Amino acid sequence: MKLKPGAALLFDIDGTLADTDPIHLQAFNTAFAPYGHSFDKARFSCELQGLANVAIAARFVPHLSPEAGMQVLEEKEKLFRELVAEAIHPVPGLFELMDFADRHGVPMAAVTNAPRANAELLLDGLGVRGRFQAIVIGAELPYGKPHPLPYLEGLRLLGADAAHSVAFEDSRTGIASAAAAGIATVGIRTSLVHEDLEAAGAVISVDGYDDPGLQAFIAERIALRETSSG
């Protein structure tokens, strides 16, 4: 196998490594019920999915001080962590794709808008934290998704080239971030349908990492070539 220098795989976490969006929806509804907000799946995907908590607080509890608004979101995240602790399951084919990357020396990064505590809980729950050479937390940067900075930072930390890398995302916000960083983005259909993911900027979309055409797409993108039958 021949790998072109600068190739990398960059993954969002929520809804991309594990299908956690239904749990986030439950936690949001509990946290925002006292403020008169109720979300169904469609509203969640349009107004909450993939956004940074500071933006969510500013939109849905604007009458609170920034500190009080973030406290509402911190309580939401605490509830999410309690609910998700026993319900972390990988998107189908994830481990096989990571094994493929490891075999061929393709570095991987996790790039998320989630708080670090959430990100580490999910990565540890899946047992994959040590497989990532970089973990980028949008809230710890000057700009989170949909700004390209989180993915640009992921590329920088990996020493990767956007032109020979692939990103995996499940939200409009995340796809916008990765695409703006110049990375071909695969939409994961855990919450959104193909048309929504494509409209957001995904190059292709799949139900899971076990999609028959996905590995071929990745190999072509990162210029991986067979040099022998072994």
Side-chain angles (χ1 to χ4, degrees):
M1 292 284 190
K2 182 180 180 182
L3 180 65
K4 188 168 184 179
L9 302 181
L10 300 95
F11 297 80
D12 175 50
I13 296 179
D14 279 297
T16 302
L17 298 183
D19 186 4
T20 53
D21 286 344
I23 302 172
H24 277 292
L25 176 58
Q26 181 181 348
F28 273 120
N29 276 324
T30 299
F32 280 109
Y35 303 96
H37 296 294
S38 178
F39 304 92
D40 58 13
K41 182 177 179 180
R43 190 180 179 201
F44 168 84
S45 69
C46 289
E47 301 181 27
L48 296 172
Q49 186 190 32
L51 292 175
N53 279 347
V54 65
I56 293 172
R59 177 170 182 177
F60 292 103
V61 286
H63 59 290
L64 299 181
S65 69
E67 295 77 14
M70 288 306 297
Q71 183 60 42
V72 173
L73 271 297
E74 287 169 11
E75 290 298 319
K76 175 263 168 183
E77 299 300 357
K78 179 181 178 182
L79 176 59
F80 168 79
R81 290 191 290 272
E82 292 171 355
L83 293 170
V84 82
E86 301 300 323
I88 302 174
H89 305 292
V91 170
L94 172 65
F95 297 148
E96 290 79 5
L97 174 57
M98 298 183 90
D99 289 345
F100 171 85
D102 286 342
R103 282 198 307 272
H104 302 300
V106 184
M108 294 180 283
V111 182
T112 181
N113 264 355
R116 182 169 291 275
N118 289 29
E120 292 179 349
L121 174 68
L122 290 171
L123 294 176
D124 289 340
L126 291 168
V128 298
R129 197 202 304 202
R131 304 184 76 165
F132 290 105
Q133 285 71 46
I135 299 172
V136 179
I137 306 296
E140 298 174 1
L141 298 173
Y143 302 100
K145 304 174 189 177
H147 195 280
L149 182 59
Y151 276 99
L152 292 173
E153 179 68 1
L155 292 171
R156 184 187 71 81
L157 292 171
L158 296 179
D161 182 348
H164 302 108
S165 297
V166 179
F168 303 91
E169 276 282 358
D170 72 308
S171 71
R172 296 175 179 87
T173 302
I175 293 169
S177 175
I183 309 171
T185 306
V186 176
I188 305 297
R189 297 193 293 259
T190 48
S191 294
L192 299 176
V193 298
H194 171 77
E195 291 75 15
D196 292 333
L197 295 164
E198 184 179 54
V203 178
I204 63 169
S205 76
V206 297
D207 287 324
Y209 299 101
D210 52 357
D211 182 278
L214 180 59
Q215 188 168 335
F217 171 81
I218 294 169
E220 179 179 0
R221 177 71 180 177
I222 65 179
L224 201 58
R225 298 287 183 265
E226 291 279 1
T227 58
S228 71
S229 60

